Amino acid sequence: MNRLAIDAAQAAREIADFSSRMAAGTRALATLEAPAEGCSDRDAVYQEERVVLYRYRPLAPSAGLPPLLICYALVNRPYMMDLQPERSLIRGLLMRGLDVYLVDWGYPGQADRFLELDDYVNRYLGNCIDHIRRAIGVPAVNLLGVCQGGTLALCHAALHPEAVRNLVTMVTPVDFHTPENLLSKWVRGVDVDRMVEVFGNIPGELMNATFLSLMPLRLTSQKYAGIADIADDPAALANFLRMEKWIFDSPDQAGAAFAQFVRWFFQENRLVLGGLVMGGRRVDLRLVDCPVLNIHASQDHLVPPSATLPLRGLVGSRDYTGFEFDGGHIGIYVSARAQELLPRTIAEWLEKR
Amino acid sequence: MTDPLGEAQQEFLRQALDGGGEAVRRIREFGEDYLGIARELWKLVESRAASEPGVSPQAFRASLDHLHDGLKEKFERLHVPVFGPLQAQQQATEQLMAATLRWQRASSRLGELLSAAATAAVENLVVALANAPATAPPITSLRQLHDLWVDCGERAYGEVAHSDDFAAAQCKLLSAMVEMRFEQRRVIEEWARAFNLPTRAEIDAIHGRLHELARVLREELKR
């Protein structure tokens, strides 16, 4: 059977209509203000070099839980967690009375090219946690690691179990050698040390190009054709602009840390196979004995479920909860369903511990 | 009294003026070939611009391919032994050209695989349109056709992108790009040094020392 049933006259009308809607959408985009980086009120409470620790202002009476520190990935900016009032995981957590902190890694400059994972995991993250513990007077914090930030949080929890009361990981890669993991397959043979020797820091643009090439037609063609569908919806256009800003707001990656992450995790899969050492100490996930909530997205193309589900068998914790979100890597942050589901799931899980 | 350096210089000049000597001959040949290609390219552009009859898009493309192959061959033949007072610069330039060539080759290889993906995407689309099951809904708009094309394309690309060949080709391209950039930087830094300007390598060395000093200081302060 031939499915093609396009009438020529109708096609001509469709082209004209599409062109005028794209033009209208582009004109409307030009009238919008540049998107802000996050929407919730917060205060910088600690800074070390380019790293800033923020504490969010409460939106509801305190739930009486230990503070929750969000550790985001190095490869994108953390305001994805607080994109706009109706699409903000942070806001959802604040509305449930949680005391929310966020570590912002900043934009590494060329002077930061020698920063190592030890600096991020032990020093920066450790100092942020210590600051919160001292400021609030608690022995340990709840730690929420997101994407690559979840991997860093896992390492920290294994190295400093006394400082982490509960650990939540979201779309976090653990096993980097599963067959669905395209990124891992691509970087397996790269001489990353030579790359860093030549590039210094790894440009954010190079990271962007790599992410786009995972689904090139969908991410470079189909997405922009969608502007025609929202041309007369200013709110949807503003959402589109916010997402675009976030997607391409990719900090350069500190060279040494990038090389270590690629070699130790993507190439050598040390979190699963062992042999991971940071700051002279062995990272052993069996030492993660605090309760663990591992949230993954069923249709995640960046961190496939197979990459994150093995965590259950690797941590030493006897209190492990898995939670599957029906959606993709981006939808888990910004979809309407995620706003309703995830803050509630995290808050209720923490309340029980 | 003999002057070996002076004699060598005179011999080089004599060979250059006579057009003799293997190295000089190869440089001259390369220059002539290169100019020949430039002339051909210019003629092609002129004829295209004037829309001369007989130059079809296919012929134009074939001519460009021919020029490209010719240029590649000329670069490959440029293995002139370094000599003279600017031999370091000559060597750097040759290495940059060789790295550029490797990058071109790696780029072509990835292009071949992407081209195969594009062909498979078209085949997928044909199947999705012409051999669809009776239950498949009809495609009644260009937008639906575009969306179907994206689905077919992503499926074809996904299969190629997951192959070992693609990973190897991409890895090789990245490696070639890194090496080309290394050679570019070396040439640029040579110029920077000539003008007494600071180079990235020097600044990196300073940053590396600062980073190490800061680490030692932090450890001392902890004690």
Side-chain angles (χ1 to χ4, degrees):
Chain A
M1 174 196 139
N2 186 353
R3 292 172 70 190
L4 201 54
I6 300 176
D7 171 72
Q10 187 199 331
R13 279 195 300 276
E14 193 186 345
I15 290 170
D17 181 54
F18 180 79
S19 303
S20 73
R21 289 187 68 79
M22 283 299 281
T26 310
R27 276 197 303 274
L29 279 172
T31 66
L32 297 175
E33 287 185 13
E37 296 185 4
C39 63
S40 302
D41 292 333
R42 63 184 187 175
D43 301 294
V45 293
Y46 173 78
Q47 178 156 12
E48 184 174 0
E49 294 156 10
R50 293 178 198 268
V51 177
V52 181
L53 176 67
Y54 289 100
R55 184 183 193 185
Y56 285 85
R57 295 186 186 171
L59 292 175
S62 171
L65 299 175
L68 175 70
L69 172 61
I70 298 176
C71 171
Y72 196 74
L74 303 172
V75 294
N76 277 109
R77 301 287 295 137
Y79 55 84
M80 177 55 130
M81 311 300 292
D82 187 35
L83 212 54
Q84 63 194 81
E86 65 278 16
R87 297 203 293 178
S88 164
L89 178 73
I90 286 175
R91 210 172 177 81
L93 295 168
L94 292 170
M95 296 293 282
R96 281 163 180 80
L98 269 68
D99 186 7
V100 180
Y101 287 79
L102 177 135
V103 54
D104 181 343
W105 305 116
Y107 296 85
Q110 286 291 358
D112 301 313
R113 70 162 286 183
F114 296 98
L115 286 176
E116 300 180 12
L117 285 180
D118 173 38
D119 290 295
Y120 283 102
V121 169
N122 287 317
R123 182 155 68 94
Y124 292 142
L125 189 55
N127 288 345
C128 286
I129 291 175
D130 286 347
H131 174 86
I132 297 169
R133 290 161 77 188
R134 275 196 304 273
I136 309 292
V138 291
V141 302
N142 292 327
L143 187 57
L144 166 56
V146 181
C147 191
Q148 181 196 26
T151 311
L152 303 181
L154 271 169
C155 294
H156 188 87
L159 290 166
H160 307 278
E162 75 290 347
V164 181
R165 175 156 169 169
N166 296 293
L167 177 65
V168 183
T169 49
M170 256 178 86
V171 288
T172 292
V174 178
D175 184 346
F176 287 75
H177 281 187
T178 56
E180 300 89 345
N181 197 332
L182 191 53
L183 266 183
S184 167
K185 183 157 197 159
W186 284 354
V187 302
R188 211 75 67 82
V190 170
D191 183 349
V192 68
D193 290 322
R194 178 66 165 163
M195 195 175 161
V196 167
E197 183 192 338
V198 172
F199 276 98
N201 288 344
I202 300 302
E205 292 83 0
L206 189 62
M207 307 291 291
N208 280 336
T210 306
F211 292 134
L212 287 179
S213 64
L214 290 172
M215 289 199 296
L217 290 177
R218 234 176 266 296
L219 298 178
T220 62
S221 164
Q222 195 175 37
K223 183 174 76 167
Y224 297 107
I227 291 174
D229 302 332
I230 56 173
D232 48 10
D233 183 346
L237 284 170
N239 287 350
F240 169 82
L241 212 55
R242 280 190 204 96
M243 284 300 296
E244 283 292 288
K245 175 181 168 60
W246 176 79
I247 286 168
F248 295 107
D249 189 0
S250 302
D252 293 347
Q253 298 297 293
F258 177 85
Q260 289 173 339
F261 197 85
V262 169
R263 200 170 57 248
W264 294 347
F265 293 92
F266 278 100
Q267 296 180 340
E268 298 171 358
N269 205 18
R270 290 191 188 188
L271 211 48
V272 171
L273 301 176
L276 183 59
V277 175
M278 276 184 206
R281 293 176 59 202
R282 185 171 293 277
V283 179
D284 184 350
L285 290 184
R286 286 173 300 185
L287 296 178
V288 178
D289 56 1
C290 65
V292 174
L293 169 62
N294 186 24
I295 301 170
H296 74 275
S298 59
Q299 293 149 48
D300 195 331
H301 74 290
L302 282 171
V303 183
S306 62
T308 188
L309 290 174
L311 183 60
R312 179 189 287 272
L314 293 170
V315 287
S317 174
R318 278 174 291 181
D319 182 358
Y320 176 98
T321 310
F323 182 83
E324 179 174 277
F325 174 77
D326 183 17
H329 193 81
I330 304 297
I332 200 167
Y333 307 116
V334 296
S335 73
R337 208 157 31 79
Q339 305 316 303
E340 197 279 318
L341 198 56
L342 291 184
R344 176 161 55 86
T345 302
I346 294 169
E348 287 177 359
W349 184 83
L350 288 173
E351 278 164 14
K352 289 176 189 162
R353 290 161 178 84
Chain B
M1 209 174 134
T2 57
D3 173 8
L5 180 63
E7 283 177 11
Q9 284 175 337
Q10 283 182 9
E11 174 62 12
F12 170 72
L13 285 172
R14 188 184 61 73
Q15 287 191 2
L17 291 171
D18 291 350
E22 179 61 12
V24 175
R25 184 181 63 74
R26 284 159 82 177
I27 286 184
R28 198 187 62 208
E29 271 184 15
F30 175 79
E32 285 170 358
D33 288 340
Y34 192 86
L35 285 174
I37 286 170
R39 275 197 299 273
E40 266 191 75
L41 182 63
W42 182 242
K43 274 194 283 183
L44 197 65
V45 171
E46 273 188 329
S47 70
R48 206 52 201 149
S51 298
E52 283 186 3
V55 184
S56 68
Q58 289 81 6
F60 183 68
R61 178 65 196 264
S63 301
L64 280 181
D65 288 346
H66 174 69
L67 285 171
H68 180 250
D69 292 344
L71 201 57
K72 267 170 58 175
E73 190 199 324
K74 302 315 167 208
F75 271 102
E76 278 167 353
R77 283 168 55 187
L78 188 69
H79 293 298
V80 182
V82 293
F83 59 90
L86 295 177
Q87 58 182 272
Q89 286 82 350
Q90 184 190 341
Q91 190 165 32
T93 306
E94 281 183 25
Q95 285 171 347
L96 174 56
M97 285 178 173
T100 306
L101 193 62
R102 284 195 295 275
W103 173 77
Q104 272 188 337
R105 284 191 190 125
S107 193
S108 298
R109 173 63 188 141
L110 193 71
E112 283 170 19
L113 292 168
L114 290 173
S115 185
T119 305
V122 173
E123 286 166 3
N124 287 348
L125 184 66
V126 169
V127 170
L129 285 174
N131 302 329
T135 51
I139 300 293
T140 56
S141 71
L142 292 175
R143 187 64 182 280
Q144 287 174 344
L145 184 62
H146 173 255
D147 290 344
L148 184 64
W149 161 246
V150 169
D151 290 344
C152 293
E154 288 291 2
R155 200 166 72 243
Y157 174 77
E159 281 170 21
V160 171
H162 272 93
S163 70
D164 291 343
D165 278 355
F166 190 87
Q170 206 179 43
C171 187
K172 207 162 184 176
L173 178 61
L174 180 62
S175 168
M177 185 178 75
V178 166
E179 291 311 317
M180 186 171 70
R181 194 179 159 102
F182 174 79
E183 297 297 344
Q184 285 170 335
R185 198 174 80 174
R186 192 152 67 167
V187 170
I188 290 166
E189 293 211 343
E190 203 52 56
W191 277 98
R193 262 190 283 276
F195 286 95
N196 198 27
L197 295 169
T199 66
R200 169 52 58 197
E202 289 164 351
I203 293 171
D204 280 350
I206 294 167
H207 283 151
R209 281 182 207 165
L210 278 175
H211 182 78
E212 182 55 22
L213 280 172
R215 190 187 62 75
V216 170
L217 186 61
R218 277 194 303 272
E219 281 174 10
E220 287 297 321
L221 288 173
K222 263 189 205 168
R223 285 178 193 164

